[in-house]
């Protein structure tokens, strides 16, 4: 489809500069310069809009929206093993699908065009992506003791089968990796095995790491190494690896994470809500580590709203470091955009409003009261935005939300199905 966004402001533009953005198929076909033979099938009036790349929610568990506001204000271990795990064990794929659709609804409404998922229900996320049109990087969460562990083998098999299944869903814009859950749910040999499989099949790895003080202390006691040093020693950095959290780090860890294969994904709301602390994001950036931003699942956040997350990230970094320059508005946007696109393997394809890049774009209402006066749009996005200033969301050249109306999702149905799914909790 050919789409013209006319007279719109881009993020880096001075006040008063307006541009025309031409979209053809899945890509941006031109800025200000009309491509040859281009006739727009849809024209979006951008005169009161800001246009920017869609955000990448670089760590979440989309199916977990069904647990939103269900198990709050509990210690981490009790929350995960006492409340969430038992319910997850009884959850059906259909419930997981509707939970994922609910997450996608919130993400499209708040300007997320791609998310990195770790799930437990094969094929449900692929289906939800195909049905909604959003982009995703999907990893089936795997746990196991060692390479002979039957449960671990089954989960890995499901992960590989899902990659095959996705070929039957041509409308799903998805990529895949392997998702060893964490060092406290995966044994040493199992982690080594996952690393070998990932290298063999050229699949990135997505895992939780160094999230809690308890995890850090246990790893030091058991392996005599920090969590980062431990997974590095198992060969997990030989492929692109996404490390969610990284709250508890040593000086040596900072050096190890400064690796072209590593992207750390910070989740400030989840870390604070579960009482896990503040990831040293400002320092990581200074050390040259690539950092992206995620919300984590809806039971430890409890929103999947990347604008809210950006606000929390910058404010907590300033507060925790007693330094108002710890993370500027510009740096915050860079984390959310550059870090996210790299984590998703899209660094060269998306993340900029430029000719030839993916048409994964969002428009925001420049006239929103919390954006006035228009001194700095970057400050507005990092400090003032609620996420609901997003009016239009485009993924792969397809309009998923037009003037705040969802085009691919029946919201009422999603809410109803989710309510039905949780009625048995
Ligand atoms: Ni997580």
């Amino acid at each position: 489809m050919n789409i013209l966004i006319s007279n719109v402001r881009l993020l880096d533009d001075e006040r008063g500069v307006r541009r025309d953005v031409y979209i053809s198929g899945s890509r941006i076909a031109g800025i200000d310069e009309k491509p040859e033979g281009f006739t727009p099938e849809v024209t979006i009036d951008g005169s009161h809009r800001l246009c920017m790349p869609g955000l990448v929610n670089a760590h979440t568990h989309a199916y977990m929206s069904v647990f939103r506001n269900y198990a709050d204000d509990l210690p981490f271990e009790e929350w995960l093993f006492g409340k969430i795990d038992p319910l997850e064990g009884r959850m059906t794929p259909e419930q997981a699908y509707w939970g994922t659709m609910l997450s996608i609804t919130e993400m499209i409404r708040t300007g997320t065009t791609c998310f990195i998922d770790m799930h437990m229900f094969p094929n449900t996320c692929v289906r939800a992506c195909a049905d909604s049109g959003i982009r995703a990087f999907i990893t089936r969460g795997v746990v196991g003791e060692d390479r002979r562990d039957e449960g671990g083998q089954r989960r890995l098999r499901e992960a590989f089968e899902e990659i095959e299944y996705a070929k039957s869903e041509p409308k799903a814009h998805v990529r895949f990796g392997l998702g060893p859950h964490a060092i406290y749910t995966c044994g040493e040999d199992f982690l080594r095995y996952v690393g070998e499989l990932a290298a063999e099949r050229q699949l990135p790895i997505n895992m939780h790491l160094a999230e809690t003080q308890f995890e850090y202390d246990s790893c030091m006691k058991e392996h005599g190494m920090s969590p980062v040093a431990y997974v590095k020693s198992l060969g997990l950095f030989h492929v692109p690896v996404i490390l969610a959290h990284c709250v508890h780090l040593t000086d040596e860890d900072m050096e190890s994470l400064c690796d072209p294969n590593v992207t750390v994904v910070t989740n400030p709301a989840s870390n604070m809500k579960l009482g896990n602390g503040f990831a040293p994001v400002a320092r990581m950036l200074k050390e040259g580590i690539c950092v992206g931003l995620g919300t984590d699942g809806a039971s430890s956040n409890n929103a999947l709203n990347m604008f809210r997350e950006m606000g929390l990230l910058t404010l907590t970094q300033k507060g925790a470091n007693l330094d108002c320059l710890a993370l500027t508005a510009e740096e915050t946007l860079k984390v959310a955009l550059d870090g996210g696109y790299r984590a998703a393997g899209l660094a060269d394809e998306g993340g900029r409003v430029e000719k030839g890049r993916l048409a994964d774009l969002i428009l925001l209402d420049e006239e929103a009261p919390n954006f006035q006066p228009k001194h700095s749009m970057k400050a507005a996005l990092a400090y003032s935005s609620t996420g609901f200033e997003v009016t239009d969301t485009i993924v792969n050249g397809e309009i998923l939300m037009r003037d705040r109306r969802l085009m691919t999702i029946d919201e009422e149905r999603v809410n109803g199905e989710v309510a039905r799914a949780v009625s048995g909790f």
Side-chain angles (χ1 to χ4, degrees):
M1 180 183 273
N2 286 348
I3 304 168
L4 166 62
I5 307 169
S6 67
N7 202 32
V8 77
R9 179 174 176 180
L10 301 187
L11 196 52
D12 287 314
D13 280 342
E14 295 290 315
R15 207 170 153 179
V17 177
R18 313 297 299 189
R19 298 181 186 278
D20 293 329
V21 177
Y22 297 90
I23 296 169
S24 186
S26 61
R27 304 266 162 177
I28 298 169
I31 310 279
D32 285 340
E33 218 171 283
K34 187 171 148 182
E36 230 184 275
F38 183 96
T39 315
E41 286 149 84
V42 176
T43 302
I44 300 175
D45 178 9
S47 16
H48 300 288
R49 301 285 184 258
L50 174 80
C51 177
M52 64 180 278
L55 297 166
V56 176
N57 184 350
H59 180 71
T60 191
H61 311 270
Y63 71 95
M64 288 183 96
S65 278
V66 292
F67 301 134
R68 193 199 316 265
N69 304 333
Y70 167 74
D72 300 300
D73 305 326
L74 290 170
F76 180 75
E77 313 288 322
E78 203 178 314
W79 166 78
L80 183 58
F81 300 115
K83 284 284 199 177
I84 300 299
D85 269 2
L87 264 186
E88 221 168 63
R90 299 204 309 266
M91 214 171 148
T92 66
E94 202 55 17
Q95 291 170 332
Y97 169 83
W98 288 109
T100 305
M101 286 299 276
L102 176 59
S103 290
I104 292 173
T105 302
E106 184 181 3
M107 289 193 278
I108 292 173
R109 281 214 171 277
T110 52
T112 290
T113 50
C114 176
F115 65 103
I116 298 179
D117 201 46
M118 187 189 288
H119 70 74
M120 304 292 166
F121 299 89
N123 307 343
T124 53
C125 191
V126 178
R127 269 175 61 213
C129 289
D131 293 345
S132 65
I134 199 168
R135 193 183 300 282
F137 180 95
I138 300 174
T139 55
R140 196 256 184 261
V142 291
V143 299
E145 266 308 308
D146 55 41
R147 66 186 69 215
R148 287 176 307 279
D149 187 316
E150 264 179 47
Q153 284 288 353
R154 174 180 54 79
R155 291 177 192 102
L156 282 164
R157 207 166 45 242
E158 286 172 359
F160 295 129
E161 282 167 4
E162 185 173 56
I163 300 173
E164 289 306 308
Y165 168 78
K167 293 178 185 158
S168 67
E169 294 274 14
K171 281 181 72 193
H173 313 301
V174 290
R175 294 176 181 214
F176 294 92
L178 293 179
H181 175 264
I183 59 172
Y184 54 89
T185 44
C186 296
E188 186 172 331
D189 183 57
F190 187 74
L191 285 173
R192 214 187 285 276
Y193 182 49
V194 171
E196 288 163 15
L197 290 173
E200 199 180 294
R201 302 192 183 219
Q202 285 302 297
L203 289 169
I205 287 175
N206 176 30
M207 74 181 297
H208 299 97
L209 194 68
E211 181 175 4
T212 69
Q213 186 68 49
F214 181 75
E215 176 189 341
Y216 181 90
D217 293 343
S218 311
C219 190
M220 286 303 271
K221 214 164 101 192
E222 258 178 70
H223 307 288
M225 290 182 259
S226 70
V228 169
Y230 172 59
V231 297
K232 191 184 174 191
S233 78
L234 299 178
L236 297 190
F237 292 3
H238 294 155
V239 291
V241 58
I242 304 157
L243 302 174
H245 302 300
C246 290
V247 177
H248 302 278
L249 302 175
T250 65
D251 287 348
E252 290 76 52
D253 291 345
M254 289 281 178
E255 267 175 54
S256 304
L257 294 175
C258 209
D259 181 314
N261 267 344
V262 174
T263 307
V264 170
V265 174
T266 189
N267 303 265
S270 174
N271 294 154
M272 286 189 283
K273 182 161 186 258
L274 297 174
N276 288 328
F278 304 100
V281 173
R283 167 135 188 239
M284 283 194 258
L285 293 173
K286 272 198 190 78
E287 304 275 351
I289 297 164
C290 183
V291 183
L293 180 64
T295 60
D296 213 346
S299 66
S300 67
N301 187 309
N302 302 0
L304 275 72
N305 178 338
M306 286 291 290
F307 283 95
R308 176 182 187 260
E309 208 67 30
M310 278 197 285
L312 288 170
L313 173 65
T314 173
L315 295 182
T316 53
Q317 286 300 308
K318 290 166 194 283
N321 289 291
L322 306 177
D323 176 7
C324 65
L325 297 177
L327 198 70
T328 64
E330 174 130 21
E331 287 164 340
T332 305
L333 279 161
K334 215 167 132 56
V335 167
L337 290 172
D338 295 1
Y341 277 86
R342 169 156 126 168
L346 296 168
D348 300 327
E349 287 191 78
R352 299 216 170 100
V353 187
E354 262 173 28
K355 186 179 169 181
R357 297 254 168 178
L358 280 174
D360 285 14
L361 302 172
I362 56 174
L363 302 182
L364 292 100
D365 178 12
E366 258 194 309
E367 305 308 320
N370 49 328
F371 283 180
Q372 310 310 312
K374 298 175 188 123
H375 288 306
S376 157
M377 284 318 283
K378 285 182 181 168
L381 296 175
Y383 303 127
S384 316
S385 176
T386 65
F388 289 96
E389 300 82 2
V390 175
T391 57
D392 299 75
T393 302
I394 299 172
V395 176
N396 211 52
E398 186 188 2
I399 304 174
L400 306 189
M401 181 166 76
R402 175 91 199 264
D403 236 346
R404 295 196 165 92
R405 227 167 6 99
L406 295 181
M407 310 300 281
T408 55
I409 295 178
D410 178 348
E411 237 175 323
E412 215 176 303
R413 167 130 199 243
V414 172
N415 292 348
E417 294 286 354
V418 168
R420 210 144 60 100
V422 305
S423 61
F425 279 13

